[in-house]
Amino acid sequence: MVKLNFIMLSFVVLVVAITCVPSLAVEENEPKKLWDQCVVKISPNCALKIISQVFGDGVVSIPCCKELVQEGKECHDTLVKYIADRPSLIGNESKYLTKRDEVWAYCVSVSKAVSPA
């Protein structure tokens, strides 16, 4: 639980830093335009729920799944990979990337199930 709280706090600090200091937004190998577009496509509340499920034992709600699917897979993959690459998390990166893909698949399926025909 302490590790999950640290991850969520780190994510919030990262988003605030990115918003306030654009030069911190990307590493040299990340396309700045994609990063900037992705950060603003999802609410902070849903971002925390998604991060909680990928990096801990949280559960993503259906409304947050809809936001995630609307954000797009490329953005989801980019943001989770960025967090998973942190030195304190890199040892479990493959586990987190698997969970990232599971969250995506779940959200796509529930979004399709509740979408109007």
Side-chain angles (χ1 to χ4, degrees):
M1 185 65 175
V2 172
K3 188 171 185 177
L4 179 59
N5 288 337
F6 174 75
I7 291 168
M8 291 199 308
L9 177 61
S10 297
F11 178 76
V12 171
V13 169
L14 178 67
V15 170
V16 170
I18 289 164
T19 304
C20 298
V21 186
S23 64
L24 296 177
V26 295
E27 294 179 13
E28 290 178 24
N29 61 348
E30 289 181 298
K32 181 173 176 19
K33 185 177 180 183
L34 175 63
W35 179 265
D36 289 345
Q37 290 172 348
C38 292
V39 169
V40 298
K41 285 186 178 181
I42 195 160
S43 70
N45 180 49
C46 286
L48 288 175
K49 287 180 180 181
I50 292 162
I51 295 305
S52 174
Q53 185 163 342
V54 171
F55 294 94
D57 58 1
V59 177
V60 179
S61 65
I62 291 173
C64 287
C65 275
K66 287 181 176 181
E67 279 192 39
L68 176 63
V69 171
Q70 190 171 14
E71 173 193 50
K73 182 153 177 43
E74 187 177 14
C75 285
H76 175 61
D77 290 353
T78 299
L79 295 174
V80 172
K81 176 90 169 101
Y82 183 84
I83 295 168
D85 281 348
R86 301 300 73 159
S88 62
L89 302 174
I90 196 82
N92 292 315
E93 182 181 33
S94 63
K95 176 179 113 178
Y96 299 137
L97 297 181
T98 298
K99 286 182 78 175
R100 171 198 70 190
D101 294 341
E102 291 169 358
V103 169
W104 177 258
Y106 167 75
C107 284
V108 167
S109 69
V110 298
S111 293
K112 285 181 181 178
V114 296
S115 294

